[in-house]
């Protein structure tokens, strides 16, 4: 590490991986409940497992982004973090609040939890991905503001680069758009309209800035390519991401009661959204091919390249498959949506966070890279997780296509549950792939505890 304060990223990354394991475990519970409906009922009903699964996804990625910022920004700004103590304090506040919220989901009926946490004062609960109780939402805002103060002061007093400024804009955007989670209008059309201002403008807007800056930072370090070259790529990628992503929000407005013009605006701009992800893939491979040095952390290079490819496939290709209004008319809310969501989140955000952890954790432990033995294990984890996610996506896509046909297109459409019975084979296959994914994740964690006789080159 160049600066001692970068070490505050370590607990954030450890918490992120721990929560990631929890997310996968609850995903497996949900997958089993798809085919064995009373699995773990009434201890963990499906709606609770789903809340925990999706909320853990969001929280562990936020921990990952915050850890990445605390490592990246001091190095880019060429100065120590403004307040390492503040960073550690917000870590514990965020972790305890997150754990308490998950325990509330698991042990308190949701309606009772809403009563206990003041939902009658300001109704914000009950919406997908934004189920958090009011005190948790307020806590997230406070943690975000303290975090943003800390990194903003670091950048203001230090060097300004494209990477740390793009990261800063992305993180400020993340916090600002989360404020719409407090707005819950009685009109359902307005509710869904502004709900997407959190969900879509996060994952297809400001999060892409965070992703781009993290990937650019790691590629500079592992390839030695000139900063100017990488920063020019970064500017173009984030410009295309925002141009397509902001107006592309309209592809969620087709069938909620919004004006008809969103069918055109949403279709056209959303169809362009694969472009920045394709550019990110070309960017990663181009930088690695032009590298001026062989970095000892080959596992981090593999994760960086995988991020570009899987983000393009999951967010780009699978997003495009069902984004045009005439197609979405039939596929909306089907398992095709779930297929896109799984590969997009893994490819774009999980993998870039794992890339950052793979690159930085050895450095925070006093070495340039893990041993060759550990890196082989980590590369195995990469391939197990990535290939199993491809199969999860393919099985869900097959289930979605069959579901759409049986339920929405056939001359005599089936009911929802009857159609679900017909696609249960794909759910079993998805569950098996999920178990392989868990094995890969366990290997990823294990790789950081493996030692080798040979020392990595400095």
């Amino acid at each position: 590490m160049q600066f001692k304060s970068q070490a505050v990223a370590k607990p954030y990354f450890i918490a992120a991986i721990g929560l990631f394991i929890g997310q996968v475990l609850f995903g497996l519970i949900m997958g089993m409940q798809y085919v064995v409906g009373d699995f773990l009922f009434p201890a963990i009903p499906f709606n609770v497992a789903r809340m925990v699964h999706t909320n853990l996804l969001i929280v562990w990625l936020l921990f990952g982004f915050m850890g990445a910022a605390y490592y990246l920004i001091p190095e880019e700004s060429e100065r120590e973090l403004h307040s390492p103590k503040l960073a550690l304090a917000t870590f514990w506040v965020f972790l305890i609040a997150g754990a308490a919220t998950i325990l509330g989901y698991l042990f308190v009926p949701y309606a009772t939890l809403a009563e206990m946490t003041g939902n009658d004062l300001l109704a914000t609960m009950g919406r997908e991905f934004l189920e958090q109780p009011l005190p948790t939402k307020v806590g997230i805002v406070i943690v975000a503001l303290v975090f943003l103060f800390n990194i903003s002061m670091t950048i203001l007093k230090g060097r300004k680069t494209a990477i740390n400024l793009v990261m800063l804009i992305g993180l400020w955007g993340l916090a600002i758009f989360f404020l719409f989670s407090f707005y819950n209008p009685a009109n359902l059309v307005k509710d869904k309209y502004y709900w997407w201002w959190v969900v879509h403008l996060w994952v297809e807007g400001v999060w892409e800035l965070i992703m781009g800056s993290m990937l650019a930072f790691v590629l500079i370090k592992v390839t030695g390519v000139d900063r100017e070259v990488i920063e020019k790529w970064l500017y173009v990628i984030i410009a295309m991401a925002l141009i397509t992503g902001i107006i592309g929000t309209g592809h969620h407005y087709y069938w909620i009661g919004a004006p008809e013009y969103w069918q055109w605006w949403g279709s056209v701009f959303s169809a362009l959204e694969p472009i920045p992800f394709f550019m990110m893939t070309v960017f990663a491979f181009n930088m690695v091919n032009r590298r001026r040095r062989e970095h000892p952390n080959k596992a981090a290079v593999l994760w960086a390249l995988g991020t570009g490819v899987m983000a393009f496939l999951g967010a780009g290709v699978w997003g495009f498959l069902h984004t045009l209004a005439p197609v979405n008319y039939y596929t909306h809310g089907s398992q095709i949506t779930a297929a896109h969501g799984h590969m997009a989140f893994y490819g774009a955000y999980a993998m870039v966070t794992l890339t950052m952890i793979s690159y930085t954790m050895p450095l925070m432990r006093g070495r340039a890279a893990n041993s060759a033995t550990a890196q082989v294990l980590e590369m195995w984890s990469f391939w197990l997780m990535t290939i199993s996610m491809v199969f999860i996506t393919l099985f869900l896509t097959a289930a979605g296509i069959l579901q759409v046909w049986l339920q929405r297109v056939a001359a005599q459409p089936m009911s929802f549950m009857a159609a679900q019975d017909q696609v249960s084979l794909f759910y079993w296959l998805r569950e098996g792939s999920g178990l392989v994914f868990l094995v890969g994740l366990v290997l990823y964690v294990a790789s950081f505890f493996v030692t080798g006789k040979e020392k990595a080159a400095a």
Side-chain angles (χ1 to χ4, degrees):
M1 293 184 300
Q2 293 186 27
F3 301 94
K4 289 182 180 179
S5 58
Q6 289 177 283
V8 300
K10 193 173 181 179
Y12 282 89
F13 287 148
I14 292 171
I17 293 298
L19 294 169
F20 186 19
I21 293 170
Q23 185 217 344
V24 174
L25 290 173
F26 276 91
L28 289 170
I29 290 171
M30 285 173 61
M32 184 60 70
Q33 289 174 339
Y34 263 87
V35 285
V36 182
D38 58 355
F39 180 68
L40 294 184
F41 185 83
I44 305 178
F46 179 84
N47 66 305
V48 172
R50 190 179 187 281
M51 270 197 301
V52 175
H53 179 64
T54 55
N55 280 239
L56 282 174
L57 167 67
I58 295 165
V59 172
W60 90 257
L61 287 176
L62 291 179
F63 268 106
F65 292 166
M66 293 168 76
Y70 280 136
Y71 188 94
L72 176 159
I73 284 174
E75 195 160 318
E76 286 292 302
S77 302
E78 295 184 340
R79 71 180 306 274
E80 294 286 359
L81 188 66
H82 177 70
S83 175
K85 290 182 179 178
L86 205 56
L88 289 172
T90 51
F91 166 77
W92 287 110
V93 170
F94 194 22
L95 185 64
I96 292 168
T101 302
I102 297 300
L103 291 173
Y105 292 158
L106 290 171
F107 297 108
V108 181
Y110 192 68
T112 306
L113 187 64
E115 290 177 10
M116 292 169 55
T117 55
N119 196 59
D120 54 333
L121 300 175
L122 180 62
T124 67
M125 295 175 68
R127 290 177 292 167
E128 187 181 9
F129 302 125
L130 303 178
E131 296 96 346
Q132 305 86 18
L134 181 60
T136 303
K137 286 191 175 77
V138 173
I140 290 171
V141 171
I142 293 170
V143 167
L145 289 175
V146 173
F147 163 68
L148 289 168
F149 167 77
N150 209 349
I151 62 171
S152 297
M153 292 301 294
T154 307
I155 292 174
L156 287 172
K157 294 179 180 179
R159 181 180 68 157
K160 285 79 175 170
T161 68
I163 290 174
N164 63 15
L165 290 175
V166 168
M167 171 71 96
L168 185 65
I169 293 168
L171 290 168
W172 270 103
L174 184 156
I176 290 167
F177 285 117
F178 182 72
L179 295 177
F180 285 96
S181 69
F182 291 90
Y183 181 52
N184 188 8
N187 182 298
L188 187 59
V189 176
K190 284 186 177 179
D191 172 40
K192 297 302 288 184
Y193 188 91
Y194 289 107
W195 180 82
W196 285 112
W197 285 32
V198 184
V199 179
H200 175 98
L201 291 176
W202 265 15
V203 300
E204 293 168 80
V206 293
W207 281 27
E208 289 187 28
L209 275 63
I210 299 167
M211 174 193 176
S213 61
M214 289 165 66
L215 192 58
F217 175 79
V218 173
L219 288 172
I220 284 177
K221 300 299 179 183
V222 299
T223 65
V225 173
D226 288 344
R227 176 178 289 272
E228 288 183 4
V229 175
I230 287 181
E231 287 184 346
K232 286 175 183 175
W233 272 92
L234 181 60
Y235 281 131
V236 175
I237 288 169
I238 64 167
M240 285 301 301
L242 292 178
I243 290 168
T244 60
I246 292 173
I247 303 177
T249 308
H251 70 236
H252 301 295
Y253 295 161
Y254 297 152
W255 323 118
I256 66 170
E260 187 178 359
Y261 58 74
W262 280 117
Q263 292 185 18
W264 281 101
W265 284 95
S267 292
V268 171
F269 278 86
S270 188
L272 298 175
E273 284 189 56
I275 294 174
F277 286 103
F278 179 71
M279 293 172 69
M280 209 168 285
T281 306
V282 176
F283 164 57
F285 277 87
N286 193 19
M287 294 307 105
V288 171
N289 286 335
R290 295 172 63 173
R291 64 185 178 273
R292 294 181 174 181
R293 63 169 176 261
E294 289 291 334
H295 197 277
N297 196 336
K298 298 184 185 302
V301 177
L302 179 62
W303 280 107
L305 292 173
T307 297
V309 174
M310 293 297 287
F312 170 63
L313 290 175
V317 175
W318 256 262
F320 178 78
L321 284 178
H322 64 142
T323 197
L324 300 176
V327 178
N328 190 266
Y329 179 79
Y330 293 98
T331 62
H332 187 81
S334 69
Q335 291 299 325
I336 293 174
T337 306
H340 161 58
H342 278 77
M343 188 181 273
F345 266 106
Y346 173 73
Y349 302 118
M351 288 186 77
V352 78
T353 304
L354 295 174
T355 301
M356 196 75 185
I357 294 172
S358 179
Y359 171 71
T360 60
M361 282 295 276
L363 294 169
M364 288 189 284
R365 298 166 75 187
R367 50 182 179 265
N370 289 329
S371 68
T373 307
Q375 288 194 55
V376 168
L377 194 63
E378 188 178 345
M379 290 179 186
W380 268 99
S381 78
F382 168 89
W383 288 112
L384 284 174
M385 282 196 278
T386 302
I387 292 172
S388 62
M389 183 55 70
V390 169
F391 277 102
I392 287 170
T393 304
L394 291 174
F395 293 141
L396 286 174
T397 303
I401 292 170
L402 185 56
Q403 176 192 4
V404 168
W405 174 260
L406 294 174
Q407 194 179 322
R408 302 175 181 177
V409 179
Q412 294 183 326
M414 290 185 176
S415 67
F416 174 81
M417 291 307 295
Q420 292 297 296
D421 286 339
Q422 295 299 311
V423 300
S424 61
L425 170 64
F426 297 111
Y427 292 151
W428 279 112
L429 295 171
R430 185 263 305 267
E431 183 74 356
S433 301
L435 288 169
V436 177
F437 187 94
L438 178 62
V439 171
L441 180 54
V442 170
L443 289 181
Y444 182 82
V445 174
S447 70
F448 289 95
F449 296 94
V450 172
T451 57
K453 293 180 181 178
E454 65 279 29
K455 294 181 180 179

